[in-house]
Amino acid sequence: MFPQTRLRRLRYHPAVRNLVRETDLSVHDFILPLFVRTGKNVKNEIASMPGNFQLSVDRLVDEVGAAVELGVRAFIFFGIPTSKDPQGASAWRDDGIVQQALRALRPVFKDVLLITDECFCEYTDHGHCGILHEHGGRLDVDNDATLPNLAKQCVSHVKAGADVVAPSGMMDGMVAAIRKGLDASGCTHIPILSYAAKYASGFYGPFRDAAESPPSFGDRNTYQMDPSNSDEALREVALDLEEGADIIMVKPALSYLDIIRRVKDRFGVPMAAYNVSGEFAMVKAASAKGWIDERRVTLEILTSIKRAGADMILTYHALDAAKWLK
Ligand code: PBG
């Protein structure tokens, strides 16, 4: 007779539990998303995202400083421009809002990682992620016409101080176009963090308020992925890797933990997951009502995303979690 297997032997002592723990969450895993807008001394809290703000450049510098104090070392920036047009041209202007933010931050925070989101939905007057054209009797985003603009936006961000570019528009060929643009401008060392498997998700609602970027008509179903698909995510990732992506993102995170795991198992490349605005808002709302323990649930969620296979997590919980992990 074999002795009865007892898994509880490894749970009985707290120090043993610490030794056998498979996933250790750390502040080094976090990337904090921040929203920058024009003006001075502006810090507008986003109603559906408590503790997150639209910040003018001066207040953004303060916010990054406070986050760095807590140990957060990586940030991704979203711009809210003053003027919008059909192309989203302010996205690649030298004095665009994100470029201004980078020029203010770069000299102050030399060792901090400044990542830029690369997309046009915040900059176009129609709120779609690229230039429009008519296709099969419908207005739709023109994939190939959008690519050169994406490359221009990335180069402009890097010239202003960005360390990593993160294209989020789900255009086919975006990674190749950006790689070519960066290399031609002498930015061969800049990594591309591609939003490779980004789903057309209801969980982006609060973000679209924060970034003032909802589509003015229609939806994003012709470029973002159908939530029902999983094999397709592997094809998206394979193509982005072939085109030169350095880090692969799955977004959102919580309803897509299976995708994170499949991609990690298949490709074994560095992976990011975006714990998006709606996922954050649900936790905040339920804990405001006293229905869940915010600290416990947040750390459990972030740990589960890492356990699923993400090496890094874009999360609005970064500051709270950094405090709790201290
Ligand atoms: C822009 C973009 C979106 C998010 C990140 N980049 C919104 C969208 O696709 O509509 C969502 C992030 C979040 O919900 O936290 N392409």
Side-chain angles (χ1 to χ4, degrees):
M1 257 268 291
F2 290 109
Q4 190 191 356
T5 304
R6 287 194 181 272
L7 289 173
R8 287 189 56 195
R9 274 179 217 125
L10 296 177
R11 297 177 200 141
Y12 133 81
H13 197 292
V16 175
R17 291 202 297 273
N18 286 340
L19 287 170
V20 300
R21 182 164 302 123
E22 296 173 39
T23 307
D24 254 325
L25 191 67
S26 134
V27 69
H28 300 298
D29 303 326
F30 303 148
I31 299 170
L32 176 65
L34 290 170
F35 301 94
V36 58
R37 65 173 311 137
T38 46
K40 274 222 150 32
N41 200 23
V42 181
K43 187 172 183 177
N44 299 334
E45 187 161 40
I46 300 152
S48 50
M49 300 171 68
N52 289 265
F53 306 87
Q54 293 184 340
L55 299 156
S56 53
V57 171
D58 51 334
R59 299 297 291 270
L60 179 75
V61 173
D62 298 344
E63 187 77 3
V64 170
V68 167
E69 284 297 303
L70 289 169
V72 178
R73 311 291 294 173
F75 301 86
I76 183 163
F77 299 98
F78 297 92
I80 305 146
T82 28
S83 68
K84 305 194 184 206
D85 63 41
Q87 276 84 41
S90 64
W92 64 82
R93 282 204 345 229
D94 249 10
D95 62 348
I97 183 63
V98 169
Q99 288 83 346
Q100 289 178 41
L102 293 165
R103 289 205 172 85
L105 292 165
R106 186 74 285 167
V108 186
F109 302 103
K110 295 201 174 55
D111 300 329
V112 157
L113 196 75
L114 306 177
I115 306 171
T116 43
D117 181 82
E118 308 293 346
C119 193
F120 298 108
C121 53
E122 297 118 81
Y123 302 92
T124 51
D125 51 15
H126 45 76
H128 281 284
C129 300
I131 296 175
L132 298 180
H133 68 165
E134 216 180 276
H135 200 226
R138 290 190 199 85
L139 271 181
D140 194 4
V141 174
D142 185 338
N143 191 87
D144 295 3
T146 300
L147 297 179
N149 292 348
L150 262 176
K152 280 192 278 185
Q153 183 185 29
C154 290
V155 170
S156 163
H157 285 158
V158 172
K159 297 278 178 229
D163 299 300
V164 176
V165 294
S168 67
M170 289 297 281
M171 294 301 118
D172 285 319
M174 67 184 184
V175 174
I178 290 168
R179 188 71 270 158
K180 206 168 137 222
L182 288 174
D183 291 355
S185 308
C187 307
T188 50
H189 63 297
I190 297 294
I192 299 174
L193 191 179
S194 180
Y195 288 64
K198 176 175 178 181
Y199 287 85
S201 168
F203 286 101
Y204 306 150
F207 174 95
R208 291 180 188 172
D209 294 338
E212 301 179 7
S213 65
S216 62
F217 66 90
D219 51 40
R220 304 206 199 289
N221 293 346
T222 69
Y223 39 106
Q224 299 181 349
M225 282 181 58
D226 182 337
S228 309
N229 296 350
S230 168
D231 291 342
E232 186 188 356
L234 301 182
R235 298 182 70 202
E236 283 281 1
V237 169
L239 276 174
D240 280 12
L241 289 172
E242 244 172 68
E243 292 176 27
D246 300 281
I247 305 171
I248 288 299
M249 191 195 299
V250 171
K251 173 184 175 188
L254 280 187
S255 294
Y256 301 88
L257 295 176
D258 57 325
I259 309 296
I260 298 173
R261 174 44 61 193
R262 279 193 83 186
V263 171
K264 191 65 170 183
D265 283 347
R266 170 75 68 94
F267 298 100
V269 296
M271 281 190 71
Y274 203 140
N275 175 215
V276 300
S277 57
E279 298 170 337
F280 173 82
M282 290 195 300
V283 171
K284 285 288 177 183
S287 57
K289 287 193 173 275
W291 291 346
I292 56 171
D293 175 342
E294 180 178 353
R295 174 183 174 142
R296 221 179 136 185
V297 165
T298 300
L299 293 175
E300 186 173 336
I301 285 174
L302 294 171
T303 301
S304 73
I305 296 170
K306 196 171 177 193
R307 192 194 63 230
D311 302 289
M312 61 200 89
I313 307 168
L314 292 84
T315 179
Y316 305 97
H317 293 293
L319 298 181
D320 290 331
K323 283 179 213 153
W324 296 325
L325 292 171
K326 262 201 188 294

